């Protein structure tokens, strides 16, 4: 297994291009199941998770061709469709469950493996099941697979979700666009990835209103046509790289960055003593005068502070002046990076969903282990400012969500290299 070696190398300077969003692309690709005509996605990220989704869609009978060095995905699904999403693929990536809604809408039936738990939480699918059941689906769990049937097709309905789940909102949207009649989803997720999916579906001929708010209205149509859609910027990759100059000093411009995608995060950076400025090409970040100040953070659904930036924010606060309190409200087990940061000399107390970070003067390099995608990059960020050398192992987690991380950080002056595994 590969590992990544990082050595603290002082202030950073330069530009980092931000790619298209993994979490948008993983919802956009299954939309190809909704039409016989081609769907082309531009500004696509080049990540192992995208390759896994490509493998899954191919197993269902769709074609996905990566063009222009992988930045364009040409997808289509005009032949026979296999309704079974197999455990061997689904267990690799939870987002595979986003084929359930479109398969049900297109075929009237689907058999999708339950993904099982993951490092950051149990992550059940009850909210997805309730939402699709509201549209008239009958869903039964048999031998680890969800067997879903919509006799006579899906029917429009008004449904309120118990929690604003991102995935359940995406499955409901992709099911309701071909349902008979009107659907209203209440307490819907408001993430930019949901807005991006709704825009793509509208470009395919769907009738949707209210995306980005808690109430989304969908008027079902008989069929959808082809379209070309640019994947929205990755706000989590953006936030991650905005933290690099915050942690190491210097000034970095994140190309393609937009403040509206990361507003609550920028508020916390400002409170921590970090200057964030919108530019013609993106967002420029540097430290204000003085050190990093401690801040308290609570993770919430969008537009609140994103859970996917919690680990990276913790890396910053390890060397803040004072004590910061981070509360993780989305996932029940998302502090696995804390004991690894402690190996680098951080002082962190974790009690359930709350972590107290007592700032120290400087971290020290150490060998550490990545436990999940966002934890892996928080260890790299910490290593960029630590004294000496940090070696992060199990970086296959990282490759799921960050393209060319070494190249992007080296371009702004970081000392970082990949050590190839056996
Ligand atoms: C999406 O996951 C993202 N993944 C996650 O990013 C992100 O952390 C999460 O949204 C929250 O923002 C993708 O988009 C592929 P949820 P998703 O359904 O859709 C519970 C990353 O690092 N829940 O909003 O799975 C669930 O257990 C990943 O890129 C139920 O209880 O998130 C969790 O505690 C990690 N029952 C909470 O809701 C359900 O049926 C939020 O889950 C569904 C969810």
């Amino acid at each position: 297994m590969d590992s990544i070696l990082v050595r603290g190398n002082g202030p950073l300077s330069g530009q980092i291009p931000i790619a298209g969003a993994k979490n948008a692309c993983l919802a956009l690709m299954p939309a190809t199941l909704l039409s016989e005509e081609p769907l082309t996605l531009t500004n696509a990220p080049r990540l192992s998770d995208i390759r896994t989704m490509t493998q899954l869609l191919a197993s269902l009978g769709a074609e996905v061709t990566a063009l222009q060095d992988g930045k364009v995905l040409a997808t289509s699904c005009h032949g026979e469709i296999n309704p079974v999403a197999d455990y061997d693929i689904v267990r690799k990536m939870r987002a595979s469950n986003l084929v359930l809604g479109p398969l049900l809408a297109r075929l009237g039936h689907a058999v999708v493996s339950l993904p099982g738990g993951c490092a950051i939480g149990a992550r059940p699918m009850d909210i997805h099941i309730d939402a699709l059941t509201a549209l008239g689906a009958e869903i039964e769990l048999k031998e680890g697979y969800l067997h879903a049937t919509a006799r006579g097709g899906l029917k429009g309905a008004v449904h309120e979700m118990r929690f604003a789940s991102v995935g359940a909102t995406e499955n409901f949207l992709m099911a309701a666009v071909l349902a008979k009649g009107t659907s209203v989803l209440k307490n819907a997720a408001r993430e930019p990835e949901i807005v991006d999916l709704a825009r793509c579906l509208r470009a395919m001929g769907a009738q949707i209103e209210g995306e980005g708010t808690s109430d989304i209205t969908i008027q079902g149509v008989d069929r959808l046509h082809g379209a070309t859609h640019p994947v929205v910027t990755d706000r989590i990759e953006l936030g991650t790289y905005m933290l690099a100059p915050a942690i190491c000093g210097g000034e970095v411009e994140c190309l393609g960055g937009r403040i509206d995608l990361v507003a609550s995060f920028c508020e916390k950076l400002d409170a921590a003593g970090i200057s964030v400025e919108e530019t013609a090409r993106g967002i420029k970040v540097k430290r204000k005068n003085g050190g990093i100040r401690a801040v308290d953070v609570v993770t919430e659904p969008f537009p609140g502070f994103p859970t996917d930036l919690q680990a990276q924010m913790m890396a910053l606060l390890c060397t803040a002046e004072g004590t910061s309190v981070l509360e993780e409200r989305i996932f029940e087990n998302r502090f696995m990076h804390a004991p690894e940061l402690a190996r680098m000399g951080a002082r962190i107390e974790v009690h359930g969903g709350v972590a107290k970070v007592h700032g120290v003067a400087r971290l020290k390099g150490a060998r550490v282990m990545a436990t999940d995608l966002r934890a892996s990059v928080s260890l790299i960020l910490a290593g960029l400012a630590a004294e000496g050398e940090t070696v992060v192992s199990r970086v296959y987690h990282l490759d799921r969500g960050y393209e060319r991380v070494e190249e992007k950080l080296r371009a702004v002056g970081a000392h970082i290299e990949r050590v190839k595994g056996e």
Side-chain angles (χ1 to χ4, degrees):
M1 275 188 270
D2 292 5
S3 52
I4 286 195
L5 183 153
V6 192
R7 194 175 289 125
N9 198 30
L12 304 177
S13 134
Q15 297 172 322
I16 298 181
I18 305 301
K22 166 182 82 81
N23 290 345
C25 204
L26 289 176
L28 292 164
M29 292 170 76
T32 194
L33 297 167
L34 292 168
S35 172
E36 293 183 354
E37 295 179 27
L39 170 64
T40 304
L41 301 173
T42 60
N43 193 35
R46 289 146 310 172
L47 304 166
S48 61
D49 270 7
I50 301 300
R51 291 189 289 279
T52 305
M53 183 58 85
T54 298
Q55 197 195 344
L56 175 63
L57 290 172
S59 76
L60 301 177
E63 283 153 32
V64 180
T65 314
L67 307 169
Q68 293 175 26
D69 185 24
K71 290 195 102 173
V72 173
L73 298 174
T75 76
S76 76
C77 191
H78 48 77
E80 197 173 331
I81 302 179
N82 160 24
V84 182
D86 196 83
Y87 174 64
D88 284 335
I89 303 178
V90 174
R91 68 185 168 78
K92 288 189 214 157
M93 181 185 69
R94 305 186 50 75
S96 307
N97 63 15
L98 295 173
V99 300
L100 179 58
L103 281 174
L104 252 182
R106 176 87 181 261
L107 300 175
H109 61 275
V111 180
V112 174
S113 170
L114 261 187
C118 90
I120 63 178
R123 304 182 73 177
M125 280 188 67
D126 60 306
I127 305 177
H128 297 245
I129 293 168
D130 292 350
L132 295 172
T133 304
L135 294 175
E138 288 160 40
I139 304 181
E140 207 189 334
L141 177 64
K142 276 189 269 182
E143 293 159 10
Y145 282 78
L146 291 176
H147 291 250
T149 318
R151 278 173 239 290
L154 296 167
K155 297 177 187 59
V158 176
H159 178 69
E160 174 143 11
M161 298 201 299
R162 73 170 174 80
F163 178 82
S165 153
V166 173
T169 301
E170 291 164 338
N171 257 328
F172 185 93
L173 265 183
M174 288 194 276
V177 287
L178 290 178
K180 287 191 192 52
T182 305
S183 302
V184 180
L185 185 62
K186 292 181 175 296
N187 194 26
R190 303 167 54 190
E191 274 67 5
E193 295 74 34
I194 303 280
V195 172
D196 205 40
L197 176 62
R199 289 198 176 135
C200 176
L201 292 170
R202 240 195 326 265
M204 295 171 75
Q207 295 184 21
I208 302 173
E209 280 170 30
E211 74 276 7
T213 75
S214 298
D215 290 0
I216 305 178
T217 302
I218 306 110
Q219 178 62 49
V221 296
D222 294 339
R223 62 180 295 280
L224 294 178
H225 50 72
T228 296
H229 177 81
V231 180
V232 70
T233 298
D234 193 320
R235 64 195 168 101
I236 306 302
E237 188 195 28
L238 170 62
T240 302
Y241 288 122
M242 288 170 71
L243 280 162
I247 288 178
C248 300
E251 181 176 288
V252 167
E253 185 180 17
C254 296
L255 304 178
R258 285 172 25 206
I259 290 209
D260 64 309
L261 296 173
V262 282
S264 56
F265 170 68
C266 290
E267 280 164 27
K268 291 296 173 188
L269 286 188
D270 181 59
I274 311 297
S275 130
V276 174
E277 182 201 326
E278 199 141 28
T279 66
R281 302 182 63 195
I283 297 178
K284 197 178 276 180
V285 179
K286 64 180 180 203
R287 279 213 202 142
K288 294 177 192 167
N289 299 333
I292 302 164
R293 293 195 290 271
V295 292
D296 296 343
V297 170
V298 178
T299 65
E300 291 170 306
F302 192 89
F305 190 98
T307 172
D308 295 346
L309 285 172
Q310 177 260 98
Q312 300 92 314
M313 193 71 182
M314 185 184 276
L316 173 74
L317 298 172
C318 286
T319 55
E321 287 150 19
T323 295
S324 309
V325 178
L326 284 89
E327 187 177 344
E328 174 56 56
R329 286 199 186 153
I330 306 292
F331 292 103
E332 61 272 28
N333 186 33
R334 203 169 202 180
F335 285 134
M336 306 268 272
H337 39 285
E340 299 299 318
L341 289 166
R343 286 178 51 73
M344 300 174 72
R347 290 183 48 229
I348 306 170
E349 294 169 52
V350 175
H351 300 288
V354 176
K356 270 196 187 158
V357 183
H358 307 287
V360 297
R362 186 147 191 220
L363 296 178
K364 298 202 171 39
R367 295 179 59 192
V368 290
M369 188 170 72
T371 48
D372 61 77
L373 166 58
R374 307 303 172 183
S376 60
V377 82
S378 83
L379 300 174
I380 288 178
L381 288 174
L384 288 176
E387 214 174 288
E389 211 170 78
T390 298
V391 178
V392 184
S393 61
R394 298 187 177 195
V395 290
Y396 57 84
H397 289 291
L398 186 80
D399 297 333
R400 299 188 55 176
Y402 293 90
E403 59 171 47
R404 300 177 303 123
V405 66
E406 308 100 281
E407 241 174 85
K408 289 189 177 185
L409 285 170
R410 258 202 305 270
V412 293
H415 182 111
I416 178 169
E417 58 190 281
R418 181 175 291 249
V419 183
K420 280 279 166 211
E422 304 303 318

